[in-house]
Amino acid sequence: MIVITRLHHPLQSSWPQGVFHLIPWVQVPSVDTDAVGRLYLLEMYDQLERKAAEIRAEWEKDCKGVNTPQQLEELRIRFLGRKGYIPRLFAALRELPPQERAAAGRLLNSLREEIQRELEALKERIAVKAEEERLKRETHDFTLPGTWRGVGKLHPLTQVRLEIERIFMEMGFDVASGPEVETDYYNFEALNIPPDHPARDEWDSFYIGEGLLLRTHTSPVQIRVMKSQKPPVRIICPGRCYRRDTPDATHFPVFHQVELLWVERGLTMAHLKWIIEVFVREFFGPGYEMRFSADYFPFTEPSAQVHIRRKGGPWLEIMGAGMVDPAVFKEVGYDPEEVTGFAFGLGIERMAMLKYGIDDIRLFFQNDIRFLEQF
Ligand code: FA5
């Protein structure tokens, strides 16, 4: 007697009910005959075909309800994932003897390819739908006026400083800088202004400690540069300066200067006048008048004051200038018999006031956007 026992397959428990009552493991007793064996194989092949048809039916039913990429992924995992229906069917192929596997394999391969193709098509359809919905939500009216966003600008004093730097850099000057908190030595003594010199009254200073002050001009940078390099020197030095000046239309306790220093063999006052003239013409354009008058600075000899005005307007002092005093050259270790040089220090605020026709220096520091946005 032949006893056929249906055993429960270990994978069967996790399969959906009604979809796949797995091909059973069949214990064939040792007395099995060929006829029984063929019957058994036929039954297995039939079952495989039935399962393939059931999976196909379930696929067709379920893929209709798929609308999102997540649902699609769940479906893919259920059918094609490592433990999905199709790979499990393939695993069951191992139960068939080699000569029967080819036909069963073809059956499963075509099922798998079909499902894969349909998955791709579904993916494409979902992406197109998502794009259409996104476009539907994005209802822009391009004919509406745009939202205005204010664009920041450089402060007029910065614009003027950059313009001054450009002009002198094009003439071959380097831009140097120095500290705003200076020592008494660099701010005064090295510039030939000893402690009891009356010229110190000109620069009423903010002292912040023993021998330390907020620099009253950019001239200390001359000393720092000359002490650090041999002639020739051709530099400009823009920077902030501080004086205990009472604010009025042309003075402010914080203001900006640009220092220029040129040291070389054979420089004269004529070179100084020439370079200032070229600069003023380049910066202001035509229509400005310039005037030199004698002045006194302990670190230049001779010294001059430069005023300019629009034709017919009031004169405004824009800079102090002069030939570098031999005492300063000695202090920095230059030989005054070998080299000569000149320097000037101009006020950036005054230049801006003249250029833009501003009559009160205090406007630059009030941060009033209505004023600042005009430049
Ligand atoms: C000096 O400061 C010298 N160091 C300039 C100099 C350099 C002379 C090199 C010779 C050689 P004075 O104190 O004149 O100079 O200032 C120069 C310029 O700074 C003035 O012409 C003016 O434009 C500007 N300035 C001075 N004080 C103020 C202030 N309180 N507010 C705004 N601008 C000022």
Side-chain angles (χ1 to χ4, degrees):
M1 190 179 79
I2 299 164
V3 180
I4 297 179
T5 318
R6 288 188 175 224
L7 290 184
H8 190 72
H9 190 283
L11 295 175
Q12 192 175 350
S13 58
S14 58
W15 283 59
Q17 263 205 332
V19 171
F20 194 21
H21 307 292
L22 234 211
I23 301 140
W25 282 6
V26 179
Q27 268 190 352
V28 182
S30 53
V31 286
D32 194 10
T33 64
D34 278 359
V36 171
R38 272 197 305 278
L39 246 176
Y40 161 67
L41 289 176
L42 265 176
E43 188 192 340
M44 281 186 81
Y45 189 83
D46 279 357
Q47 281 200 31
L48 204 69
E49 246 185 343
R50 252 197 332 276
K51 299 309 164 199
E54 281 173 17
I55 290 173
R56 174 83 202 134
E58 178 168 335
W59 164 263
E60 271 169 13
K61 182 165 73 63
D62 288 1
C63 74
K64 289 201 181 79
V66 168
N67 290 310
T68 67
Q70 292 92 308
Q71 290 171 340
L72 186 72
E73 181 59 5
E74 280 165 19
L75 198 69
R76 187 192 68 75
I77 291 171
R78 184 144 55 91
F79 284 82
L80 296 176
R82 207 156 50 82
K83 292 182 182 166
Y85 301 160
I86 307 269
R88 282 187 187 193
L89 266 191
F90 270 103
L93 271 187
R94 280 200 299 271
E95 309 288 333
L96 291 173
Q99 67 273 26
E100 304 299 328
R101 273 184 216 155
R106 271 196 301 279
L107 173 75
L108 295 190
N109 268 333
S110 82
L111 177 65
R112 179 172 61 188
E113 278 161 22
E114 221 174 311
I115 288 187
Q116 271 169 341
R117 250 195 329 273
E118 286 176 26
L119 254 178
E120 279 309 307
L122 257 178
K123 194 170 165 191
E124 177 76 22
R125 213 187 64 212
I126 288 172
V128 169
K129 210 164 139 216
E131 179 65 5
E132 278 171 8
E133 271 164 20
R134 188 182 69 79
L135 289 174
K136 244 187 262 163
R137 277 196 310 275
E138 265 184 27
T139 46
H140 290 304
D141 183 350
F142 293 103
T143 60
L144 286 175
T147 315
W148 184 82
R149 280 169 204 261
V151 178
K153 284 184 177 187
L154 293 178
H155 191 281
L157 293 178
T158 306
Q159 292 184 35
V160 168
R161 173 175 63 76
L162 292 175
E163 173 66 357
I164 295 171
E165 283 178 15
R166 181 193 65 79
I167 294 171
F168 285 113
M169 280 162 73
E170 281 178 14
M171 288 194 224
F173 287 81
D174 290 329
V175 178
S177 64
E180 289 180 24
V181 174
E182 236 341 333
T183 62
D184 195 87
Y185 171 76
Y186 283 107
N187 198 78
F188 292 126
E189 280 177 49
L191 287 162
N192 204 25
I193 316 171
D196 51 356
H197 198 287
R200 287 207 179 200
D201 297 345
E202 293 282 311
W203 293 288
D204 203 355
S205 320
F206 291 106
Y207 277 90
I208 57 169
E210 192 54 38
L212 275 184
L213 70 157
L214 299 179
R215 71 177 172 197
T216 56
H217 50 177
T218 41
S219 297
V221 185
Q222 287 186 27
I223 305 295
R224 289 182 178 275
V225 171
M226 285 193 282
K227 277 187 170 245
S228 68
Q229 72 176 78
K230 290 194 172 355
V233 173
R234 218 174 286 136
I235 53 138
I236 58 162
C237 161
R240 203 175 289 138
C241 306
Y242 305 83
R243 291 185 195 173
R244 288 164 61 105
D245 284 346
T246 309
D248 62 21
T250 53
H251 293 84
F252 209 73
V254 183
F255 60 98
H256 299 80
Q257 287 189 341
V258 175
E259 189 87 3
L260 175 141
L261 174 69
W262 186 351
V263 181
E264 217 166 313
R265 279 169 191 268
L267 288 176
T268 68
M269 194 80 178
H271 293 107
L272 170 61
K273 282 193 74 175
W274 164 75
I275 211 160
I276 295 174
E277 260 180 50
V278 170
F279 164 66
V280 167
R281 218 180 22 250
E282 177 78 15
F283 183 81
F284 289 109
Y288 280 85
E289 292 176 322
M290 186 167 66
R291 162 178 105 175
F292 277 73
S293 51
D295 202 349
Y296 170 74
F297 296 103
F299 37 93
T300 48
E301 182 57 35
S303 303
Q305 218 177 65
V306 182
H307 289 84
I308 72 163
R309 68 171 181 185
R310 280 180 209 256
K311 249 194 180 92
W315 290 103
L316 191 67
E317 179 203 325
I318 55 163
M319 65 169 83
M323 301 301 293
V324 178
D325 195 291
V328 173
F329 279 148
K330 282 194 194 130
E331 181 66 32
V332 298
Y334 285 8
D335 182 355
E337 301 298 324
E338 278 279 309
V339 289
T340 54
F342 57 76
F344 67 64
L346 62 80
I348 295 185
E349 283 77 2
R350 304 271 174 95
M351 300 291 284
M353 287 168 78
L354 272 164
K355 184 161 184 145
Y356 299 125
I358 297 161
D359 55 10
D360 197 324
I361 194 172
R362 288 166 290 199
L363 287 166
F364 289 122
F365 305 102
Q366 283 166 355
N367 268 346
D368 186 334
I369 201 80
R370 292 166 304 174
F371 170 75
L372 295 174
E373 69 189 0
Q374 296 176 48
F375 303 96

